[in-house]
Amino acid sequence: MLDLRLADQLCTETVLALPVVIDSGGGPRLATGAGLSAADLAEVAAFLADVEHSAAAGTVRALPRPTRTPRRLLLVGIGDGGEPAWRVAGAALARKA
């Protein structure tokens, strides 16, 4: 069974899933930084722009980081953040993980 939890601190797991929303300018951004460093946040922002993440509910992009912790970030679009969008995002995350 897949156990999904939002965290306000960085965990030491090998995979970390982070929710992605659309910012006021129309681009994707993390809904939470989950304790990531400024350098990690900058890396994620650049990756989101590079892969043209839509932040649509259920869109999942993986950012591999083999020499760092966590080793892989799963950036999951949560659309408008409503309950149906979270369900779609959770199902997509389960498929990807």
Side-chain angles (χ1 to χ4, degrees), residues 16-20 30 36 44-45 47-48 51 53 58-63 73-77 93:
L16 177 64
L18 296 168
V20 178
L30 289 179
L36 293 175
V44 169
F47 179 77
L48 289 172
V51 298
H53 198 300
T59 302
V60 181
R61 297 286 186 263
L63 173 57
L73 299 177
L74 295 178
L75 305 167
V76 186
L93 182 59

Side-chain angles (χ1 to χ4, degrees), residues 2-88:
L2 181 64
D3 181 22
L4 299 175
R5 289 172 276 145
L6 288 178
D8 62 354
Q9 297 179 359
L10 181 62
C11 63
T12 58
E13 302 299 323
T14 58
V15 177
L16 177 64
L18 296 168
V20 178
V21 297
I22 296 291
D23 67 14
S24 59
R29 70 166 177 81
L30 289 179
T32 177
L36 293 175
S37 70
D40 288 340
L41 291 172
E43 178 185 26
V44 169
F47 179 77
L48 289 172
D50 189 47
V51 298
E52 298 178 356
H53 198 300
S54 68
T59 302
V60 181
R61 297 286 186 263
L63 173 57
R65 303 159 22 112
T67 61
R68 291 174 282 163
T69 301
R71 292 180 51 195
R72 187 167 57 133
L73 299 177
L74 295 178
L75 305 167
V76 186
I78 59 168
D80 63 5
E83 188 175 322
W86 275 101
R87 271 192 237 114
V88 170

